[in-house]
Amino acid sequence: MNELGRLEDLPQDYRDALKAQNLVPLWPSLRAVLPPGKPRPNTRATAWSYQALRPLLMQAGTLTPIEKAERRVLVLANPGHGLEKMQASAAIYLGMQLLLPGEWAPSHRHTPNAVRMIVEGEGAYTTVDGEKCPMSRGDLILTPTGLWHEHGHDGSEPVVWLDVLDLPLVHYMEASYHVDGPRQTVQPGSGDRTHARGGLLPTPVFERARKAYPMLRYPWVEARAALLALAEDPAALECVQLTYTNPATGGDAENILGFYALMLRPGQTLNLPARSPASVFHVIEGGAQVRVEDQRFDLAEADTCCAPGYTPITLVNASATAPAFVFIADESPLHRKLGVYETR
Ligand code: 1HN
């Protein structure tokens, strides 16, 4: 491959003349924006220990009242992007949010899509688009783009959840904004009870009743039972993984990020091929070793890690007796829609 000319090779008066016209020569920067063979991601394989972050999150609970925070969150920031960017990967934002008994995080809506994976505690709920969604450990609750959402807590213990948003991408697109709103009126009904029974869906006879996101809550009891059933299926010999889908479309639950529940059998080693999207692994139950590049993370319950794209990943359940359950988020829907998805 040719050595390309450097900026310093150009006479200063020529560089000044370009700059005065807002012009930039491409060739000194061409390799940086178009590296050979594969991208050079800023995303670094990084892990966050729940045991290490939990006391700091609880401290935030005493240092900062909810009124002063709106959302009391410690962001899981990837040092490869610079901590102030608040990115786990190019498109993924991660945060651990704390809500204390009696607190209320007021209603708003925004353009980035969010999901919440409940980590600990009982008694909190989030109201999304008028539907009150109770929060229990392992539940996944969607807050798709544009839908009103607020959080409340009628229980007696702190509740913590992992927020996953496509904020870095939407912000990069200069499309990120929010609108505040009044407390929502809770409507009766529950998408997870009307859309997840034996392959039956409400018939949209009157089109006006149709919602783009009819199912907002994916209870862990259902996902866990489905994984255990799938583990018995010969088709899932290699990989026991489920995709969180929108039952109305059969496609991904949200437009930009993909969400999955994975079961690792006792002693299982799962070698994942190198794929273009970056991914996030969060342990719901058990323990999982994640090997990516020259790193190895031993994740315990509630620990989280992220991995860049274009690199193979190995997941190991070191327990000989207990299965491990892992929540995964990745950038697959985005990569597929943009036509840049690849497996190597
Ligand atoms: C947000 O709206 C929530 O509603 C949590 O709980 C985290 C991070 C960035 C932007 C909006 C929430 C967020 C967020």
Side-chain angles (χ1 to χ4, degrees):
M1 194 169 42
N2 256 350
E3 256 323 273
L4 298 179
R6 298 168 307 167
L7 195 59
E8 306 82 74
D9 300 337
L10 299 168
Q12 189 60 50
D13 59 343
Y14 178 70
R15 287 157 64 181
D16 293 344
L18 290 178
K19 197 170 178 183
Q21 303 301 322
N22 293 324
L23 296 170
V24 174
L26 172 62
W27 57 96
S29 306
L30 184 58
R31 298 284 186 250
V33 293
L34 212 56
K38 69 174 243 181
R40 287 198 207 120
N42 289 320
T43 303
R44 246 186 253 162
T46 308
W48 295 269
S49 150
Y50 189 62
Q51 200 196 329
L53 75 80
R54 189 183 186 280
L56 296 168
L57 187 58
M58 294 303 150
Q59 219 177 331
T62 52
L63 291 172
T64 307
I66 192 71
E67 296 76 19
K68 288 280 177 202
E70 223 168 88
R71 301 295 193 263
R72 193 190 290 107
V73 178
L74 293 181
V75 178
L76 280 48
N78 193 311
H81 287 272
L83 298 183
E84 69 290 346
K85 289 281 181 59
M86 301 196 297
Q87 294 180 235
S89 74
I92 305 176
Y93 158 104
L94 299 173
M96 282 286 179
Q97 183 162 171
L98 169 67
L99 196 67
L100 294 171
E103 287 185 335
W104 179 60
S107 192
H108 69 185
R109 60 191 177 94
H110 42 68
T111 45
N113 297 272
V115 302
R116 318 188 193 287
M117 166 52 53
I118 316 309
V119 177
E120 71 163 283
E122 289 289 332
Y125 58 89
T126 178
T127 304
V128 184
D129 195 24
E131 180 179 331
K132 187 170 175 175
C133 303
M135 293 171 147
S136 275
R137 187 178 141 66
D139 291 352
L140 184 77
I141 298 173
L142 307 187
T143 308
T145 179
L147 298 191
W148 293 107
H149 57 283
E150 64 197 78
H151 318 304
H153 192 343
D154 298 333
S156 56
E157 299 293 328
V159 167
V160 177
W161 62 82
L162 175 69
D163 290 311
V164 186
L165 282 82
D166 47 28
L167 176 66
L169 176 76
V170 179
H171 182 256
Y172 176 75
M173 291 165 59
E174 302 186 338
S176 179
Y177 72 95
H178 89 283
V179 179
D180 289 326
R183 199 161 192 142
Q184 294 171 74
T185 308
V186 173
Q187 313 287 339
S190 137
D192 61 278
R193 272 184 266 131
T194 51
H195 285 75
R197 301 255 159 137
L200 296 167
L201 296 176
T203 310
V205 175
F206 300 103
E207 281 293 320
R208 65 187 135 79
R210 186 156 22 196
K211 289 182 173 179
Y213 297 95
M215 187 150 143
L216 298 169
R217 176 169 178 261
Y218 300 74
W220 176 235
V221 286
E222 302 287 349
R224 193 180 191 282
L227 285 169
L228 288 169
L230 183 61
E232 301 294 313
D233 194 310
L237 219 53
E238 267 189 304
C239 181
V240 187
Q241 183 174 316
L242 297 167
T243 301
Y244 290 93
T245 63
N246 179 334
T249 64
D252 289 292
E254 288 186 350
N255 285 329
I256 296 177
L257 301 181
F259 307 101
Y260 317 87
L262 170 75
M263 178 180 134
L264 295 169
R265 294 190 176 84
Q268 184 180 357
T269 295
L270 177 62
N271 289 306
L272 298 171
R275 287 177 292 179
S276 54
S279 47
V280 166
F281 302 91
H282 171 83
V283 178
I284 299 176
E285 266 185 62
Q289 216 178 71
V290 180
R291 296 183 199 149
V292 46
E293 295 170 328
D294 53 355
Q295 306 245 54
R296 184 185 131 175
F297 305 122
D298 289 293
L299 303 184
E301 242 163 58
D303 290 352
T304 307
C305 78
C306 73
Y310 298 91
T311 179
I313 298 169
T314 299
L315 302 175
V316 180
N317 178 6
S319 168
T321 52
F325 295 95
V326 180
F327 170 63
I328 302 175
D330 78 3
E331 301 167 335
S332 290
L334 173 67
H335 278 227
R336 289 185 202 277
K337 284 179 176 123
L338 298 183
V340 299
Y341 183 91
E342 48 175 302
T343 304
R344 298 191 170 187

